[in-house]
Amino acid sequence: AQSVTQLDSHVSVSEGTPVLLRCNYSSSYSPSLFWYVQHPNKGLQLLLKYTSAATLVKGINGFEAEFKKSETSFHLTKPSAHMSDAAEYFCVVSEPYGSSNTGKLIFGQGTTLQVKP
Amino acid sequence: NAGVTQTPKFRVLKTGQSMTLLCAQDMNHEYMYWYRQDPGMGLRLIHYSVGEGTTAKGEVPDGYNVSRLKKQNFLLGLESAAPSQTSVYFCASSSDRGSNSPLHFGNGTRLTVT
Protein backbone atom coordinates (compact mmCIF):
# COMPACT_ATOMS: atom_id res chain seq x y z
CA ALA A 1 0.00 0.00 0.00
CA GLN A 2 1.08 3.54 -0.65
CA SER A 3 1.77 5.97 2.16
CA VAL A 4 3.47 9.30 2.66
CA THR A 5 5.09 10.81 5.75
CA GLN A 6 5.94 14.46 6.19
CA LEU A 7 8.73 14.57 8.71
CA ASP A 8 8.00 18.00 10.19
CA SER A 9 4.61 19.29 11.25
CA HIS A 10 5.94 22.84 11.54
CA VAL A 11 8.91 24.63 9.92
CA SER A 12 9.93 28.19 10.69
CA VAL A 13 12.37 30.19 8.53
CA SER A 14 13.38 33.80 8.16
CA GLU A 15 12.50 35.71 5.02
CA GLY A 16 15.26 35.33 2.42
CA THR A 17 16.61 32.03 3.83
CA PRO A 18 16.21 28.60 2.22
CA VAL A 19 13.18 26.41 2.73
CA LEU A 20 13.30 22.61 3.14
CA LEU A 21 10.11 20.60 3.69
CA ARG A 22 10.75 16.88 4.02
CA CYS A 23 8.64 14.05 2.66
CA ASN A 24 9.22 10.29 2.57
CA TYR A 25 6.97 7.91 0.70
CA SER A 26 6.28 4.21 0.58
CA SER A 27 5.09 2.60 -2.62
CA SER A 28 5.15 -0.82 -4.20
CA TYR A 29 5.15 0.75 -7.63
CA SER A 30 6.83 3.66 -9.37
CA PRO A 31 4.90 6.45 -7.73
CA SER A 32 3.50 9.71 -8.93
CA LEU A 33 4.29 12.34 -6.31
CA PHE A 34 2.97 15.82 -5.78
CA TRP A 35 3.24 18.84 -3.55
CA TYR A 36 0.12 20.90 -2.89
CA VAL A 37 -0.02 24.21 -1.00
CA GLN A 38 -2.90 25.56 1.08
CA HIS A 39 -3.03 29.22 2.04
CA PRO A 40 -5.20 30.18 5.04
CA ASN A 41 -8.92 29.67 4.48
CA LYS A 42 -8.33 28.50 0.92
CA GLY A 43 -8.43 25.24 -0.97
CA LEU A 44 -5.31 23.39 -2.03
CA GLN A 45 -3.32 24.29 -5.15
CA LEU A 46 -0.86 22.11 -7.06
CA LEU A 47 2.77 23.26 -6.66
CA LEU A 48 4.52 20.57 -8.69
CA LYS A 49 4.38 16.91 -9.64
CA TYR A 50 6.76 14.05 -10.41
CA THR A 51 5.68 11.37 -12.85
CA SER A 52 8.88 9.41 -13.67
CA ALA A 53 10.45 11.93 -16.03
CA ALA A 54 13.21 14.22 -14.69
CA THR A 55 14.01 13.58 -11.03
CA LEU A 56 14.33 17.31 -10.31
CA VAL A 57 10.94 18.90 -10.71
CA LYS A 58 10.35 22.63 -10.88
CA GLY A 59 7.08 24.11 -9.73
CA ILE A 60 5.41 27.44 -9.32
CA ASN A 61 6.69 30.32 -7.20
CA GLY A 62 10.32 29.13 -7.28
CA PHE A 63 9.75 25.81 -5.53
CA GLU A 64 11.35 22.57 -6.66
CA ALA A 65 11.53 19.00 -5.45
CA GLU A 66 13.92 16.14 -6.06
CA PHE A 67 12.79 12.54 -6.36
CA LYS A 68 15.34 10.19 -4.75
CA LYS A 69 14.33 6.58 -5.18
CA SER A 70 17.19 5.22 -3.05
CA GLU A 71 16.03 7.35 -0.12
CA THR A 72 12.29 7.14 -0.94
CA SER A 73 12.18 10.90 -0.51
CA PHE A 74 10.60 13.82 -2.31
CA HIS A 75 11.72 16.90 -0.38
CA LEU A 76 10.47 20.37 -1.34
CA THR A 77 12.94 23.26 -1.47
CA LYS A 78 13.09 26.94 -2.28
CA PRO A 79 16.31 28.99 -2.24
CA SER A 80 14.84 32.09 -0.64
CA ALA A 81 11.63 32.26 1.39
CA HIS A 82 9.11 35.04 0.88
CA MET A 83 6.47 36.15 3.33
CA SER A 84 3.78 35.00 0.89
CA ASP A 85 5.12 31.41 1.15
CA ALA A 86 3.63 31.06 4.63
CA ALA A 87 1.07 28.28 4.21
CA GLU A 88 0.48 24.59 4.78
CA TYR A 89 2.16 22.18 2.38
CA PHE A 90 1.05 18.67 1.59
CA CYS A 91 3.11 15.89 0.06
CA VAL A 92 0.90 13.51 -1.92
CA VAL A 93 1.37 10.09 -3.53
CA SER A 94 -1.05 8.57 -5.98
CA GLU A 95 -2.21 5.00 -5.98
CA PRO A 96 -1.30 3.13 -9.13
CA TYR A 97 -4.06 2.98 -11.67
CA GLY A 98 -5.36 -0.51 -12.29
CA SER A 99 -8.34 -2.81 -12.15
CA SER A 100 -8.78 -2.47 -8.40
CA ASN A 101 -8.30 1.25 -7.95
CA THR A 102 -8.51 4.54 -9.78
CA GLY A 103 -5.23 6.26 -9.00
CA LYS A 104 -6.55 8.09 -5.97
CA LEU A 105 -4.36 10.53 -4.08
CA ILE A 106 -3.02 9.88 -0.57
CA PHE A 107 -2.14 13.01 1.39
CA GLY A 108 0.53 13.47 4.00
CA GLN A 109 -0.29 15.09 7.32
CA GLY A 110 0.88 18.52 6.21
CA THR A 111 3.72 20.88 7.17
CA THR A 112 2.98 24.42 8.27
CA LEU A 113 5.60 26.85 6.99
CA GLN A 114 6.06 30.01 9.01
CA VAL A 115 8.12 32.83 7.48
CA LYS A 116 9.48 35.42 9.89
CA PRO A 117 10.36 38.95 8.74
CA ASN B 1 -13.95 31.91 -13.85
CA ALA B 2 -15.47 30.48 -10.69
CA GLY B 3 -13.72 27.08 -10.74
CA VAL B 4 -15.02 25.00 -7.82
CA THR B 5 -17.66 26.58 -5.59
CA GLN B 6 -18.76 25.13 -2.27
CA THR B 7 -21.84 26.14 -0.32
CA PRO B 8 -22.29 26.86 2.50
CA LYS B 9 -18.97 28.21 3.84
CA PHE B 10 -19.87 27.60 7.50
CA ARG B 11 -22.50 25.55 9.28
CA VAL B 12 -23.28 24.54 12.85
CA LEU B 13 -25.44 21.45 13.39
CA LYS B 14 -26.81 19.71 16.42
CA THR B 15 -26.18 15.99 16.81
CA GLY B 16 -28.71 14.05 14.77
CA GLN B 17 -29.53 16.82 12.30
CA SER B 18 -29.03 16.37 8.59
CA MET B 19 -27.59 18.60 5.93
CA THR B 20 -26.30 18.65 2.36
CA LEU B 21 -23.12 20.29 1.15
CA LEU B 22 -23.15 21.43 -2.46
CA CYS B 23 -20.18 21.48 -4.80
CA ALA B 24 -20.37 23.00 -8.26
CA GLN B 25 -17.64 23.15 -10.91
CA ASP B 26 -17.69 24.98 -14.22
CA MET B 27 -14.66 23.33 -15.86
CA ASN B 28 -16.51 20.35 -17.37
CA HIS B 29 -14.43 17.95 -15.25
CA GLU B 30 -15.33 14.29 -15.13
CA TYR B 31 -13.84 13.51 -11.71
CA MET B 32 -15.10 15.00 -8.47
CA TYR B 33 -14.11 14.31 -4.88
CA TRP B 34 -15.11 15.06 -1.32
CA TYR B 35 -12.37 15.24 1.32
CA ARG B 36 -12.35 16.07 4.99
CA GLN B 37 -9.44 17.83 6.64
CA ASP B 38 -8.66 17.36 10.31
CA PRO B 39 -5.63 18.74 12.19
CA GLY B 40 -2.56 16.54 11.83
CA MET B 41 -4.31 14.10 9.50
CA GLY B 42 -4.01 15.69 6.09
CA LEU B 43 -6.93 15.20 3.73
CA ARG B 44 -8.92 12.00 3.73
CA LEU B 45 -11.13 10.98 0.84
CA ILE B 46 -14.79 10.46 1.72
CA HIS B 47 -16.39 9.69 -1.64
CA TYR B 48 -15.58 10.37 -5.25
CA SER B 49 -17.15 10.23 -8.68
CA VAL B 50 -15.59 9.41 -12.04
CA GLY B 51 -18.50 10.76 -14.06
CA GLU B 52 -22.14 11.81 -14.04
CA GLY B 53 -24.31 9.22 -12.33
CA THR B 54 -21.39 7.37 -10.70
CA THR B 55 -20.12 7.45 -7.13
CA ALA B 56 -17.65 5.38 -5.13
CA LYS B 57 -16.43 5.12 -1.55
CA GLY B 58 -13.14 6.56 -0.41
CA GLU B 59 -11.20 6.01 2.83
CA VAL B 60 -13.79 7.33 5.31
CA PRO B 61 -17.29 6.97 3.79
CA ASP B 62 -19.26 5.99 6.90
CA GLY B 63 -21.96 8.47 7.87
CA TYR B 64 -21.94 10.20 4.49
CA ASN B 65 -23.79 9.80 1.21
CA VAL B 66 -23.21 11.46 -2.15
CA SER B 67 -24.96 12.02 -5.44
CA ARG B 68 -23.80 13.14 -8.88
CA LEU B 69 -27.00 13.67 -10.85
CA LYS B 70 -25.44 16.38 -13.00
CA LYS B 71 -21.88 16.46 -14.24
CA GLN B 72 -21.17 19.85 -12.71
CA ASN B 73 -22.56 19.11 -9.23
CA PHE B 74 -21.47 16.75 -6.47
CA LEU B 75 -23.54 16.68 -3.29
CA LEU B 76 -22.39 15.40 0.10
CA GLY B 77 -25.07 14.46 2.61
CA LEU B 78 -24.95 13.86 6.32
CA GLU B 79 -28.12 12.03 7.36
CA SER B 80 -27.56 12.13 11.12
CA ALA B 81 -24.68 14.37 12.11
CA ALA B 82 -22.28 13.31 14.87
CA PRO B 83 -19.62 15.35 16.71
CA SER B 84 -16.95 13.20 15.00
CA GLN B 85 -18.01 14.81 11.74
CA THR B 86 -16.84 18.22 12.89
CA SER B 87 -14.28 19.06 10.23
CA VAL B 88 -13.43 21.18 7.21
CA TYR B 89 -14.83 19.66 4.04
CA PHE B 90 -13.23 20.22 0.65
CA CYS B 91 -14.61 19.45 -2.75
CA ALA B 92 -12.27 19.02 -5.70
CA SER B 93 -12.51 18.22 -9.38
CA SER B 94 -10.14 17.07 -12.09
CA SER B 95 -10.29 16.37 -15.81
CA ASP B 96 -8.61 12.99 -15.38
CA ARG B 97 -7.70 10.79 -12.42
CA GLY B 98 -5.61 12.59 -9.81
CA SER B 99 -2.36 10.92 -10.82
CA ASN B 100 -2.64 12.50 -14.27
CA SER B 101 -4.19 15.90 -13.81
CA PRO B 102 -4.21 18.43 -10.97
CA LEU B 103 -7.09 18.61 -8.56
CA HIS B 104 -8.90 21.94 -8.37
CA PHE B 105 -10.21 22.63 -4.89
CA GLY B 106 -13.00 24.74 -3.50
CA ASN B 107 -12.39 26.97 -0.49
CA GLY B 108 -13.95 24.56 1.97
CA THR B 109 -16.95 24.27 4.28
CA ARG B 110 -16.30 24.48 8.00
CA LEU B 111 -18.81 22.25 9.81
CA THR B 112 -19.26 22.09 13.58
CA VAL B 113 -21.50 19.45 15.13
CA THR B 114 -22.45 20.09 18.77
Side-chain angles (χ1 to χ4, degrees):
Chain A
Q2 279 68 263
S3 67
V4 61
T5 301
Q6 293 183 239
L7 300 172
D8 307 291
S9 60
H10 187 97
V11 170
S12 182
V13 301
S14 297
E15 190 176 21
T17 64
V19 175
L20 170 64
L21 305 183
R22 299 183 295 162
C23 172
N24 285 355
Y25 69 90
S26 172
S27 177
S28 306
Y29 305 85
S30 294
S32 293
L33 293 159
F34 312 80
W35 278 97
Y36 277 79
V37 60
Q38 182 183 28
H39 288 94
N41 299 313
K42 296 290 187 185
L44 282 71
Q45 178 187 17
L46 180 67
L47 263 184
L48 51 81
K49 71 174 184 178
Y50 166 78
T51 53
S52 77
T55 56
L56 183 63
V57 182
K58 293 189 184 300
I60 61 172
N61 300 333
F63 284 93
E64 61 183 36
E66 186 171 9
F67 174 71
K68 291 187 176 180
K69 187 174 181 178
S70 60
E71 299 176 11
T72 62
S73 69
F74 190 57
H75 300 337
L76 181 70
T77 60
K78 182 173 181 177
S80 176
H82 191 272
M83 295 298 291
S84 60
D85 295 328
E88 189 159 17
Y89 292 79
F90 293 93
C91 184
V92 182
V93 65
S94 72
E95 288 184 344
Y97 182 72
S99 59
S100 61
N101 60 69
T102 59
K104 295 188 295 292
L105 301 184
I106 299 164
F107 286 77
Q109 304 92 324
T111 298
T112 300
L113 176 64
Q114 179 187 23
V115 182
K116 296 177 290 187
Chain B
N1 53 347
V4 177
T5 303
Q6 292 182 233
T7 52
K9 290 184 171 56
F10 303 94
R11 187 73 187 267
V12 179
L13 288 179
K14 294 189 189 315
T15 297
Q17 287 184 320
S18 64
M19 78 163 294
T20 300
L21 282 66
L22 172 64
C23 176
Q25 53 97 1
D26 62 1
M27 297 171 282
N28 202 37
H29 284 169
E30 290 292 338
Y31 290 69
M32 296 188 75
Y33 314 82
W34 276 106
Y35 288 90
R36 60 178 288 172
Q37 183 178 26
D38 302 291
M41 302 188 74
L43 272 70
R44 292 180 292 168
L45 184 64
I46 305 171
H47 286 281
Y48 64 99
S49 167
V50 300
E52 180 180 318
T54 74
T55 62
K57 294 180 179 180
E59 295 175 71
V60 289
D62 294 342
Y64 305 95
N65 56 75
V66 287
S67 64
R68 183 107 182 260
L69 298 179
K70 293 182 179 180
K71 186 177 183 178
Q72 62 267 34
N73 294 339
F74 195 31
L75 278 62
L76 178 71
L78 287 71
E79 289 188 350
S80 180
S84 61
Q85 294 177 304
T86 293
S87 187
V88 182
Y89 292 85
F90 285 97
C91 177
S93 71
S94 60
S95 57
D96 195 352
R97 56 186 184 270
S99 53
N100 284 351
S101 64
L103 269 61
H104 297 257
F105 284 83
N107 286 336
T109 295
R110 190 173 296 273
L111 175 66
T112 302
V113 183
T114 61

